[in-house]
Amino acid sequence: MTTTLHSRGRKSDSVRELRGVALLGDPVHNKGTAFTSEERVELGLEGLLPPSVESLERQVERVRRHLDAKPTDLERYIYLIGLADRNQTLFYRVVMSDPARFIPILYDPTVADACLAFGHIFRRARGMYITRAMKGRMAEVLRNWPERDVRFICVSTGGRILGLGDIGANGMGIPIGKLQLYTACAAVPPACLLPVLFDIGTSNDALRADPLYLGLREQPPSEGELDELVEEFIHAVQQVFPGCCVHFEDWKGTDALRLLARYKDKVLCYNDDIQGTASVALAGLTTALQIIGASLTAQRILFFGAGSAGIGIANMIVLAMQMKGLSQEAAHSRISLFDINGLIEPSRSDLSASQKVYAHRAAPSEDLAKTIETLKPTILIGVSTKGGAFNQPVVEAMSRLNERPIIFALSNPTDKAECSAEQAYTWSKGKALFAAGVQFPEVSVNGQTFHPGQANNFYIFPALGLATYVARPARITDECFIAAAQASADQVGPELRARGMLFPSQSEILEMEVTTASRVAEFMFDQGLATVKRPADIREWIESQLYTPRY
Ligand code: NAI
């Protein structure tokens, strides 16, 4: 008997036998030392492997020992990416065995180091690079990808990565890592995921001068030219991979907002920096409000930082308030913004259209603590990149005005957080309901131990991806993200809440993502967004489609 394997599942035109060294070099089909004696004979592998036949579990044990012996997380990242290049099943088996441990290695914060060094640690391309040289031929180029059933493309220009600024083609680590989390957290089958680096050049002089830099050594194009390139790309994706969802990630802020506004009602797409961030912030707020028994529509919210994250969160809160019966105008009136030039109010001449709707009549102010005394917010959200801005007077003012102030310091990395968990809990005397953009260690105040929550987008986007994978919606609406936020909040049980946690436990990530995905898929069916037949039992139906890493 001859075993025939399909190369990466591309069945139509390149069914071929993978044998011998070619089989060992194919990460999708390679089992390494787990090939059985019979398979070794059938597939021309005899002599190419050590004699011992191992189980997947034994292979996992060896990988974990290798990882334990590595001195840094960047080394672990490099090792894991190498493993994914050799044996995809083993890679996901390892990662899915303990996602809470491996997510910080595959993604934030280690991926930031990996991106900085990307040209230097590069081993092998793990996605596609689209450049302006391919203008007019993007569909043809996309057809070079060996898979036909691509259901998600995560695409980045590398224009604004995790607080690193414009890192151009080094940003490829981001779409790779983000899509690996679809599988690691929510068991979305990896074959349907395609990372794309939309290389438009970089404004980063140091990178352009680095001999090992792998991207285009050009300045980014004008907005008009960029938009033309993106327009072609979006159409090419639909042509080559019908029904594929485009996940925009880490584009420059203004490009991100403009492109999302242009495409979100036209094609299946979303932007995790904008919508995912907004959704996870709303999830934390929803939990905090459930803890104090207050309604969202009754809150006064002050944003410190009015950039893409701040505006995105504010807009989603407005929509959530509207869904609870408030008019859009009334919802806008409950939110104020404060940026690098102070409180956003009508006399300011530097406001964008998306900021103007939050410019309410108020005296100009450049003093945050004073603005808090005047506006009396119940919720303070930091998305400013200004580390330490929530100083003692700010936290104390929030605590004086509110029995349980809700304070989110979402800027990252850690040195940019508006305050630390320790500061928030100490200065508020344990009253604050706190979340951060980074994971702070637990804090003890007056004998009580608090576990600060991290508003990490992985509570939302893998679940949203899984729901999209199964329900195949025509569009992803902001309301889908609100459904995901509510599902996340509903999974924070009383025990976690008592410890100050505003997000679900990380001990059962897959379970949590499947629960959220079930709720989002249900919402997609209810709203008529899904394009497949509604199953009798949505959860069971989703569970039957989960990827399991096994040979
Ligand atoms: P951005 O650059 O678009 O906006 C920054 C905003 O902060 C601008 O409105 C700016 O005027 C304001 N700002 C800067 N310095 C200030 C100062 N000294 N005082 C008052 N306001 C000041 O950045 P973006 O994309 O909105 O991100 C902001 C922060 O949020 C970043 O640190 C980012 O890491 C973080 N973030 C956190 C997420 C999470 O926790 N899940 C997700 C997305 C972003």
Side-chain angles (χ1 to χ4, degrees), residues 160 162-163 253 273 277 280 304-310 338-341 355 382-386 410-413 416 436-438 455-457:
R160 195 225 65 168
L162 299 167
D273 305 305
T277 296
V280 79
F304 184 74
S308 50
F338 192 108
D339 74 358
I340 193 155
N341 296 318
Q355 292 171 329
V383 269
S384 67
T385 68
K386 174 70 182 153
L410 299 182
S411 290
N412 55 63
K416 293 195 170 148
V438 296
N456 194 318
N457 293 26

PDB file of all heavy atoms in Angstrom, residues 160 162-163 253 273 277 280 304-310 338-341 355 382-386 410-413 416 436-438 455-457, ligand 1:
ATOM      1  N   ARG A 160       2.849  50.389  12.964  1.00  0.00           N
ATOM      2  CA  ARG A 160       2.691  50.831  14.362  1.00  0.00           C
ATOM      3  C   ARG A 160       2.576  49.602  15.245  1.00  0.00           C
ATOM      4  O   ARG A 160       1.505  49.105  15.509  1.00  0.00           O
ATOM      5  CB  ARG A 160       1.422  51.687  14.487  1.00  0.00           C
ATOM      6  CG  ARG A 160       1.375  52.476  15.765  1.00  0.00           C
ATOM      7  CD  ARG A 160       0.014  52.394  16.421  1.00  0.00           C
ATOM      8  NE  ARG A 160      -0.310  51.046  16.860  1.00  0.00           N
ATOM      9  CZ  ARG A 160      -1.321  50.747  17.648  1.00  0.00           C
ATOM     10  NH1 ARG A 160      -2.137  51.688  18.051  1.00  0.00           N
ATOM     11  NH2 ARG A 160      -1.565  49.499  18.033  1.00  0.00           N
ATOM     12  N   LEU A 162       3.002  47.529  18.654  1.00  0.00           N
ATOM     13  CA  LEU A 162       3.203  47.342  20.099  1.00  0.00           C
ATOM     14  C   LEU A 162       4.105  48.405  20.738  1.00  0.00           C
ATOM     15  O   LEU A 162       5.039  48.078  21.458  1.00  0.00           O
ATOM     16  CB  LEU A 162       3.848  45.966  20.352  1.00  0.00           C
ATOM     17  CG  LEU A 162       3.083  44.732  19.915  1.00  0.00           C
ATOM     18  CD1 LEU A 162       3.992  43.518  19.950  1.00  0.00           C
ATOM     19  CD2 LEU A 162       1.871  44.486  20.802  1.00  0.00           C
ATOM     20  N   GLY A 163       3.851  49.643  20.453  1.00  0.00           N
ATOM     21  CA  GLY A 163       4.649  50.712  21.041  1.00  0.00           C
ATOM     22  C   GLY A 163       6.044  50.842  20.444  1.00  0.00           C
ATOM     23  O   GLY A 163       6.848  51.624  20.932  1.00  0.00           O
ATOM     24  N   GLY A 253      -2.168  54.513  12.953  1.00  0.00           N
ATOM     25  CA  GLY A 253      -3.492  54.832  13.486  1.00  0.00           C
ATOM     26  C   GLY A 253      -4.463  55.442  12.496  1.00  0.00           C
ATOM     27  O   GLY A 253      -5.597  54.978  12.354  1.00  0.00           O
ATOM     28  N   ASP A 273      -6.860  46.113  16.603  1.00  0.00           N
ATOM     29  CA  ASP A 273      -6.370  47.225  17.436  1.00  0.00           C
ATOM     30  C   ASP A 273      -7.519  48.151  17.818  1.00  0.00           C
ATOM     31  O   ASP A 273      -7.519  48.728  18.905  1.00  0.00           O
ATOM     32  CB  ASP A 273      -5.329  48.056  16.684  1.00  0.00           C
ATOM     33  CG  ASP A 273      -4.191  47.203  16.193  1.00  0.00           C
ATOM     34  OD1 ASP A 273      -3.591  46.514  17.015  1.00  0.00           O
ATOM     35  OD2 ASP A 273      -3.933  47.212  14.977  1.00  0.00           O
ATOM     36  N   THR A 277      -9.620  45.824  20.812  1.00  0.00           N
ATOM     37  CA  THR A 277      -9.260  46.589  22.008  1.00  0.00           C
ATOM     38  C   THR A 277     -10.504  47.159  22.672  1.00  0.00           C
ATOM     39  O   THR A 277     -10.664  47.092  23.891  1.00  0.00           O
ATOM     40  CB  THR A 277      -8.321  47.754  21.615  1.00  0.00           C
ATOM     41  OG1 THR A 277      -7.129  47.181  21.103  1.00  0.00           O
ATOM     42  CG2 THR A 277      -7.990  48.634  22.785  1.00  0.00           C
ATOM     43  N   VAL A 280     -12.432  44.380  24.421  1.00  0.00           N
ATOM     44  CA  VAL A 280     -11.867  43.858  25.674  1.00  0.00           C
ATOM     45  C   VAL A 280     -11.989  44.907  26.784  1.00  0.00           C
ATOM     46  O   VAL A 280     -12.248  44.570  27.951  1.00  0.00           O
ATOM     47  CB  VAL A 280     -10.425  43.342  25.481  1.00  0.00           C
ATOM     48  CG1 VAL A 280      -9.394  44.445  25.450  1.00  0.00           C
ATOM     49  CG2 VAL A 280     -10.061  42.349  26.580  1.00  0.00           C
ATOM     50  N   PHE A 304      -8.213  59.411  29.047  1.00  0.00           N
ATOM     51  CA  PHE A 304      -6.938  60.126  29.016  1.00  0.00           C
ATOM     52  C   PHE A 304      -6.173  59.545  27.844  1.00  0.00           C
ATOM     53  O   PHE A 304      -5.635  58.432  27.929  1.00  0.00           O
ATOM     54  CB  PHE A 304      -6.202  59.928  30.343  1.00  0.00           C
ATOM     55  CG  PHE A 304      -4.926  60.714  30.431  1.00  0.00           C
ATOM     56  CD1 PHE A 304      -4.949  62.082  30.623  1.00  0.00           C
ATOM     57  CD2 PHE A 304      -3.697  60.085  30.303  1.00  0.00           C
ATOM     58  CE1 PHE A 304      -3.771  62.813  30.690  1.00  0.00           C
ATOM     59  CE2 PHE A 304      -2.515  60.800  30.382  1.00  0.00           C
ATOM     60  CZ  PHE A 304      -2.548  62.176  30.574  1.00  0.00           C
ATOM     61  N   GLY A 305      -6.161  60.277  26.727  1.00  0.00           N
ATOM     62  CA  GLY A 305      -5.653  59.733  25.453  1.00  0.00           C
ATOM     63  C   GLY A 305      -6.831  59.645  24.502  1.00  0.00           C
ATOM     64  O   GLY A 305      -7.861  59.066  24.850  1.00  0.00           O
ATOM     65  N   ALA A 306      -6.673  60.277  23.340  1.00  0.00           N
ATOM     66  CA  ALA A 306      -7.798  60.343  22.392  1.00  0.00           C
ATOM     67  C   ALA A 306      -7.318  59.922  21.010  1.00  0.00           C
ATOM     68  O   ALA A 306      -7.685  60.518  20.001  1.00  0.00           O
ATOM     69  CB  ALA A 306      -8.365  61.751  22.375  1.00  0.00           C
ATOM     70  N   GLY A 307      -6.473  58.905  20.968  1.00  0.00           N
ATOM     71  CA  GLY A 307      -5.962  58.390  19.697  1.00  0.00           C
ATOM     72  C   GLY A 307      -6.836  57.242  19.218  1.00  0.00           C
ATOM     73  O   GLY A 307      -8.014  57.136  19.593  1.00  0.00           O
ATOM     74  N   SER A 308      -6.252  56.345  18.416  1.00  0.00           N
ATOM     75  CA  SER A 308      -7.089  55.300  17.810  1.00  0.00           C
ATOM     76  C   SER A 308      -7.681  54.363  18.864  1.00  0.00           C
ATOM     77  O   SER A 308      -8.854  53.989  18.768  1.00  0.00           O
ATOM     78  CB  SER A 308      -6.317  54.526  16.742  1.00  0.00           C
ATOM     79  OG  SER A 308      -5.081  54.093  17.238  1.00  0.00           O
ATOM     80  N   ALA A 309      -6.906  54.020  19.903  1.00  0.00           N
ATOM     81  CA  ALA A 309      -7.469  53.126  20.925  1.00  0.00           C
ATOM     82  C   ALA A 309      -8.587  53.850  21.693  1.00  0.00           C
ATOM     83  O   ALA A 309      -9.681  53.295  21.891  1.00  0.00           O
ATOM     84  CB  ALA A 309      -6.378  52.655  21.883  1.00  0.00           C
ATOM     85  N   GLY A 310      -8.327  55.080  22.119  1.00  0.00           N
ATOM     86  CA  GLY A 310      -9.319  55.826  22.899  1.00  0.00           C
ATOM     87  C   GLY A 310     -10.610  56.041  22.134  1.00  0.00           C
ATOM     88  O   GLY A 310     -11.707  55.763  22.645  1.00  0.00           O
ATOM     89  N   PHE A 338      -9.484  63.606  26.896  1.00  0.00           N
ATOM     90  CA  PHE A 338      -8.396  64.496  27.313  1.00  0.00           C
ATOM     91  C   PHE A 338      -7.165  64.001  26.577  1.00  0.00           C
ATOM     92  O   PHE A 338      -6.842  62.817  26.635  1.00  0.00           O
ATOM     93  CB  PHE A 338      -8.224  64.332  28.828  1.00  0.00           C
ATOM     94  CG  PHE A 338      -7.357  65.353  29.502  1.00  0.00           C
ATOM     95  CD1 PHE A 338      -7.920  66.328  30.328  1.00  0.00           C
ATOM     96  CD2 PHE A 338      -5.982  65.333  29.353  1.00  0.00           C
ATOM     97  CE1 PHE A 338      -7.124  67.264  30.983  1.00  0.00           C
ATOM     98  CE2 PHE A 338      -5.172  66.258  29.997  1.00  0.00           C
ATOM     99  CZ  PHE A 338      -5.747  67.226  30.825  1.00  0.00           C
ATOM    100  N   ASP A 339      -6.497  64.877  25.827  1.00  0.00           N
ATOM    101  CA  ASP A 339      -5.307  64.396  25.111  1.00  0.00           C
ATOM    102  C   ASP A 339      -4.085  65.234  25.439  1.00  0.00           C
ATOM    103  O   ASP A 339      -4.086  65.971  26.437  1.00  0.00           O
ATOM    104  CB  ASP A 339      -5.582  64.279  23.603  1.00  0.00           C
ATOM    105  CG  ASP A 339      -5.651  65.624  22.909  1.00  0.00           C
ATOM    106  OD1 ASP A 339      -5.518  66.662  23.607  1.00  0.00           O
ATOM    107  OD2 ASP A 339      -5.831  65.640  21.684  1.00  0.00           O
ATOM    108  N   ILE A 340      -3.076  65.157  24.608  1.00  0.00           N
ATOM    109  CA  ILE A 340      -1.803  65.823  24.921  1.00  0.00           C
ATOM    110  C   ILE A 340      -1.970  67.339  25.049  1.00  0.00           C
ATOM    111  O   ILE A 340      -1.213  67.996  25.748  1.00  0.00           O
ATOM    112  CB  ILE A 340      -0.729  65.449  23.875  1.00  0.00           C
ATOM    113  CG1 ILE A 340       0.653  65.864  24.348  1.00  0.00           C
ATOM    114  CG2 ILE A 340      -1.044  66.051  22.500  1.00  0.00           C
ATOM    115  CD1 ILE A 340       1.774  65.069  23.751  1.00  0.00           C
ATOM    116  N   ASN A 341      -3.012  67.881  24.422  1.00  0.00           N
ATOM    117  CA  ASN A 341      -3.264  69.320  24.532  1.00  0.00           C
ATOM    118  C   ASN A 341      -4.357  69.653  25.547  1.00  0.00           C
ATOM    119  O   ASN A 341      -4.869  70.769  25.573  1.00  0.00           O
ATOM    120  CB  ASN A 341      -3.625  69.885  23.157  1.00  0.00           C
ATOM    121  CG  ASN A 341      -2.453  69.758  22.195  1.00  0.00           C
ATOM    122  OD1 ASN A 341      -1.307  70.019  22.579  1.00  0.00           O
ATOM    123  ND2 ASN A 341      -2.711  69.322  20.983  1.00  0.00           N
ATOM    124  N   GLN A 355     -13.118  63.077  17.029  1.00  0.00           N
ATOM    125  CA  GLN A 355     -12.981  63.646  18.384  1.00  0.00           C
ATOM    126  C   GLN A 355     -14.064  64.679  18.655  1.00  0.00           C
ATOM    127  O   GLN A 355     -14.516  64.834  19.795  1.00  0.00           O
ATOM    128  CB  GLN A 355     -11.603  64.292  18.551  1.00  0.00           C
ATOM    129  CG  GLN A 355     -10.460  63.302  18.557  1.00  0.00           C
ATOM    130  CD  GLN A 355      -9.100  63.971  18.503  1.00  0.00           C
ATOM    131  OE1 GLN A 355      -8.939  65.040  17.914  1.00  0.00           O
ATOM    132  NE2 GLN A 355      -8.109  63.349  19.113  1.00  0.00           N
ATOM    133  N   GLY A 382      -7.030  55.167  30.692  1.00  0.00           N
ATOM    134  CA  GLY A 382      -5.771  55.682  30.165  1.00  0.00           C
ATOM    135  C   GLY A 382      -5.343  54.949  28.904  1.00  0.00           C
ATOM    136  O   GLY A 382      -5.110  53.738  28.938  1.00  0.00           O
ATOM    137  N   VAL A 383      -5.276  55.685  27.808  1.00  0.00           N
ATOM    138  CA  VAL A 383      -4.778  55.142  26.526  1.00  0.00           C
ATOM    139  C   VAL A 383      -3.916  56.225  25.878  1.00  0.00           C
ATOM    140  O   VAL A 383      -4.098  56.601  24.731  1.00  0.00           O
ATOM    141  CB  VAL A 383      -5.941  54.747  25.567  1.00  0.00           C
ATOM    142  CG1 VAL A 383      -6.341  53.308  25.744  1.00  0.00           C
ATOM    143  CG2 VAL A 383      -7.152  55.645  25.738  1.00  0.00           C
ATOM    144  N   SER A 384      -2.949  56.703  26.645  1.00  0.00           N
ATOM    145  CA  SER A 384      -2.212  57.912  26.269  1.00  0.00           C
ATOM    146  C   SER A 384      -0.750  57.668  25.904  1.00  0.00           C
ATOM    147  O   SER A 384      -0.114  58.559  25.356  1.00  0.00           O
ATOM    148  CB  SER A 384      -2.211  58.866  27.451  1.00  0.00           C
ATOM    149  OG  SER A 384      -1.443  58.286  28.501  1.00  0.00           O
ATOM    150  N   THR A 385      -0.219  56.534  26.271  1.00  0.00           N
ATOM    151  CA  THR A 385       1.224  56.235  26.204  1.00  0.00           C
ATOM    152  C   THR A 385       2.038  57.084  27.193  1.00  0.00           C
ATOM    153  O   THR A 385       3.261  57.125  27.129  1.00  0.00           O
ATOM    154  CB  THR A 385       1.843  56.433  24.786  1.00  0.00           C
ATOM    155  OG1 THR A 385       1.839  57.829  24.473  1.00  0.00           O
ATOM    156  CG2 THR A 385       1.072  55.690  23.722  1.00  0.00           C
ATOM    157  N   LYS A 386       1.365  57.778  28.121  1.00  0.00           N
ATOM    158  CA  LYS A 386       2.068  58.650  29.070  1.00  0.00           C
ATOM    159  C   LYS A 386       2.205  57.917  30.407  1.00  0.00           C
ATOM    160  O   LYS A 386       1.281  57.936  31.243  1.00  0.00           O
ATOM    161  CB  LYS A 386       1.274  59.956  29.210  1.00  0.00           C
ATOM    162  CG  LYS A 386       1.791  60.915  30.259  1.00  0.00           C
ATOM    163  CD  LYS A 386       3.126  61.530  29.861  1.00  0.00           C
ATOM    164  CE  LYS A 386       3.617  62.451  30.976  1.00  0.00           C
ATOM    165  NZ  LYS A 386       5.065  62.580  30.992  1.00  0.00           N
ATOM    166  N   LEU A 410      -4.398  51.455  30.346  1.00  0.00           N
ATOM    167  CA  LEU A 410      -4.218  50.469  29.273  1.00  0.00           C
ATOM    168  C   LEU A 410      -2.938  50.632  28.455  1.00  0.00           C
ATOM    169  O   LEU A 410      -2.607  49.759  27.654  1.00  0.00           O
ATOM    170  CB  LEU A 410      -5.429  50.511  28.329  1.00  0.00           C
ATOM    171  CG  LEU A 410      -6.777  50.167  28.975  1.00  0.00           C
ATOM    172  CD1 LEU A 410      -7.888  50.192  27.931  1.00  0.00           C
ATOM    173  CD2 LEU A 410      -6.736  48.794  29.647  1.00  0.00           C
ATOM    174  N   SER A 411      -2.234  51.750  28.627  1.00  0.00           N
ATOM    175  CA  SER A 411      -1.051  51.938  27.781  1.00  0.00           C
ATOM    176  C   SER A 411       0.027  50.910  28.105  1.00  0.00           C
ATOM    177  O   SER A 411       0.226  50.551  29.265  1.00  0.00           O
ATOM    178  CB  SER A 411      -0.490  53.351  27.940  1.00  0.00           C
ATOM    179  OG  SER A 411      -1.384  54.268  27.360  1.00  0.00           O
ATOM    180  N   ASN A 412       0.692  50.460  27.091  1.00  0.00           N
ATOM    181  CA  ASN A 412       1.787  49.521  27.273  1.00  0.00           C
ATOM    182  C   ASN A 412       2.910  49.859  26.318  1.00  0.00           C
ATOM    183  O   ASN A 412       2.701  50.643  25.396  1.00  0.00           O
ATOM    184  CB  ASN A 412       1.290  48.058  27.116  1.00  0.00           C
ATOM    185  CG  ASN A 412       0.587  47.816  25.805  1.00  0.00           C
ATOM    186  OD1 ASN A 412       1.196  47.938  24.755  1.00  0.00           O
ATOM    187  ND2 ASN A 412      -0.696  47.479  25.841  1.00  0.00           N
ATOM    188  N   PRO A 413       4.137  49.348  26.524  1.00  0.00           N
ATOM    189  CA  PRO A 413       4.535  48.416  27.576  1.00  0.00           C
ATOM    190  C   PRO A 413       4.512  49.051  28.977  1.00  0.00           C
ATOM    191  O   PRO A 413       4.101  50.194  29.135  1.00  0.00           O
ATOM    192  CB  PRO A 413       5.954  48.025  27.164  1.00  0.00           C
ATOM    193  CG  PRO A 413       6.448  49.158  26.328  1.00  0.00           C
ATOM    194  CD  PRO A 413       5.243  49.726  25.635  1.00  0.00           C
ATOM    195  N   LYS A 416       4.933  52.576  30.121  1.00  0.00           N
ATOM    196  CA  LYS A 416       3.978  53.561  29.608  1.00  0.00           C
ATOM    197  C   LYS A 416       2.632  53.495  30.324  1.00  0.00           C
ATOM    198  O   LYS A 416       1.757  54.330  30.087  1.00  0.00           O
ATOM    199  CB  LYS A 416       3.772  53.364  28.111  1.00  0.00           C
ATOM    200  CG  LYS A 416       5.032  53.690  27.334  1.00  0.00           C
ATOM    201  CD  LYS A 416       4.767  53.866  25.869  1.00  0.00           C
ATOM    202  CE  LYS A 416       6.012  54.429  25.211  1.00  0.00           C
ATOM    203  NZ  LYS A 416       6.199  53.984  23.858  1.00  0.00           N
ATOM    204  N   ALA A 436      -5.237  46.766  33.479  1.00  0.00           N
ATOM    205  CA  ALA A 436      -4.104  47.382  32.793  1.00  0.00           C
ATOM    206  C   ALA A 436      -3.929  46.740  31.417  1.00  0.00           C
ATOM    207  O   ALA A 436      -4.532  45.710  31.114  1.00  0.00           O
ATOM    208  CB  ALA A 436      -2.832  47.185  33.616  1.00  0.00           C
ATOM    209  N   GLY A 437      -3.093  47.378  30.607  1.00  0.00           N
ATOM    210  CA  GLY A 437      -2.783  46.806  29.299  1.00  0.00           C
ATOM    211  C   GLY A 437      -1.701  45.750  29.406  1.00  0.00           C
ATOM    212  O   GLY A 437      -1.498  44.961  28.492  1.00  0.00           O
ATOM    213  N   VAL A 438      -0.974  45.749  30.528  1.00  0.00           N
ATOM    214  CA  VAL A 438       0.063  44.735  30.755  1.00  0.00           C
ATOM    215  C   VAL A 438      -0.328  43.900  31.973  1.00  0.00           C
ATOM    216  O   VAL A 438      -1.211  44.286  32.735  1.00  0.00           O
ATOM    217  CB  VAL A 438       1.450  45.378  31.002  1.00  0.00           C
ATOM    218  CG1 VAL A 438       1.907  46.134  29.768  1.00  0.00           C
ATOM    219  CG2 VAL A 438       1.434  46.300  32.207  1.00  0.00           C
ATOM    220  N   ALA A 455      -6.206  43.694  30.261  1.00  0.00           N
ATOM    221  CA  ALA A 455      -7.155  43.852  29.144  1.00  0.00           C
ATOM    222  C   ALA A 455      -6.466  43.358  27.879  1.00  0.00           C
ATOM    223  O   ALA A 455      -6.052  44.133  27.029  1.00  0.00           O
ATOM    224  CB  ALA A 455      -7.555  45.311  28.995  1.00  0.00           C
ATOM    225  N   ASN A 456      -6.342  42.063  27.794  1.00  0.00           N
ATOM    226  CA  ASN A 456      -5.599  41.467  26.684  1.00  0.00           C
ATOM    227  C   ASN A 456      -6.586  41.077  25.585  1.00  0.00           C
ATOM    228  O   ASN A 456      -7.574  40.374  25.849  1.00  0.00           O
ATOM    229  CB  ASN A 456      -4.854  40.217  27.193  1.00  0.00           C
ATOM    230  CG  ASN A 456      -3.821  39.759  26.213  1.00  0.00           C
ATOM    231  OD1 ASN A 456      -4.064  39.739  25.005  1.00  0.00           O
ATOM    232  ND2 ASN A 456      -2.655  39.396  26.722  1.00  0.00           N
ATOM    233  N   ASN A 457      -6.288  41.513  24.366  1.00  0.00           N
ATOM    234  CA  ASN A 457      -7.214  41.252  23.259  1.00  0.00           C
ATOM    235  C   ASN A 457      -7.459  39.766  23.029  1.00  0.00           C
ATOM    236  O   ASN A 457      -8.409  39.390  22.358  1.00  0.00           O
ATOM    237  CB  ASN A 457      -6.692  41.893  21.970  1.00  0.00           C
ATOM    238  CG  ASN A 457      -6.707  43.400  22.039  1.00  0.00           C
ATOM    239  OD1 ASN A 457      -6.643  43.967  23.134  1.00  0.00           O
ATOM    240  ND2 ASN A 457      -6.786  44.064  20.911  1.00  0.00           N
TER     241      ASN A 457
HETATM  242  P1  NAI B   1      -2.226  57.025  19.625  1.00  0.00           P
HETATM  243  O1  NAI B   1      -0.857  57.536  19.400  1.00  0.00           O
HETATM  244  O2  NAI B   1      -3.179  56.917  18.489  1.00  0.00           O
HETATM  245  O3  NAI B   1      -2.941  57.977  20.716  1.00  0.00           O
HETATM  246  C1  NAI B   1      -2.327  58.449  21.882  1.00  0.00           C
HETATM  247  C2  NAI B   1      -3.223  59.515  22.489  1.00  0.00           C
HETATM  248  O4  NAI B   1      -2.674  59.901  23.738  1.00  0.00           O
HETATM  249  C3  NAI B   1      -3.316  60.795  21.645  1.00  0.00           C
HETATM  250  O5  NAI B   1      -4.626  61.300  21.727  1.00  0.00           O
HETATM  251  C4  NAI B   1      -2.350  61.730  22.358  1.00  0.00           C
HETATM  252  O6  NAI B   1      -2.706  63.118  22.199  1.00  0.00           O
HETATM  253  C5  NAI B   1      -2.524  61.309  23.791  1.00  0.00           C
HETATM  254  N1  NAI B   1      -1.367  61.639  24.605  1.00  0.00           N
HETATM  255  C6  NAI B   1      -0.067  61.418  24.325  1.00  0.00           C
HETATM  256  N2  NAI B   1       0.696  61.931  25.308  1.00  0.00           N
HETATM  257  C7  NAI B   1      -0.140  62.489  26.200  1.00  0.00           C
HETATM  258  C8  NAI B   1       0.052  63.209  27.398  1.00  0.00           C
HETATM  259  N3  NAI B   1       1.279  63.472  27.870  1.00  0.00           N
HETATM  260  N4  NAI B   1      -1.031  63.647  28.049  1.00  0.00           N
HETATM  261  C9  NAI B   1      -2.268  63.418  27.581  1.00  0.00           C
HETATM  262  N5  NAI B   1      -2.513  62.746  26.452  1.00  0.00           N
HETATM  263  C10 NAI B   1      -1.449  62.302  25.756  1.00  0.00           C
HETATM  264  O7  NAI B   1      -2.062  55.643  20.360  1.00  0.00           O
HETATM  265  P2  NAI B   1      -3.155  54.487  20.509  1.00  0.00           P
HETATM  266  O8  NAI B   1      -3.072  53.553  19.387  1.00  0.00           O
HETATM  267  O9  NAI B   1      -4.465  55.113  20.792  1.00  0.00           O
HETATM  268  O10 NAI B   1      -2.596  53.706  21.776  1.00  0.00           O
HETATM  269  C11 NAI B   1      -2.497  54.347  23.037  1.00  0.00           C
HETATM  270  C12 NAI B   1      -1.997  53.379  24.072  1.00  0.00           C
HETATM  271  O11 NAI B   1      -2.973  52.382  24.292  1.00  0.00           O
HETATM  272  C13 NAI B   1      -0.710  52.649  23.685  1.00  0.00           C
HETATM  273  O12 NAI B   1       0.182  52.655  24.761  1.00  0.00           O
HETATM  274  C14 NAI B   1      -1.152  51.266  23.412  1.00  0.00           C
HETATM  275  O13 NAI B   1      -0.150  50.352  23.778  1.00  0.00           O
HETATM  276  C15 NAI B   1      -2.343  51.129  24.316  1.00  0.00           C
HETATM  277  N6  NAI B   1      -3.252  50.084  23.845  1.00  0.00           N
HETATM  278  C16 NAI B   1      -3.622  49.116  24.735  1.00  0.00           C
HETATM  279  C17 NAI B   1      -4.409  48.069  24.328  1.00  0.00           C
HETATM  280  C18 NAI B   1      -4.848  47.040  25.317  1.00  0.00           C
HETATM  281  O14 NAI B   1      -4.618  47.167  26.474  1.00  0.00           O
HETATM  282  N7  NAI B   1      -5.516  45.978  24.897  1.00  0.00           N
HETATM  283  C19 NAI B   1      -4.791  47.933  22.916  1.00  0.00           C
HETATM  284  C20 NAI B   1      -4.432  49.056  22.087  1.00  0.00           C
HETATM  285  C21 NAI B   1      -3.664  50.077  22.553  1.00  0.00           C
END
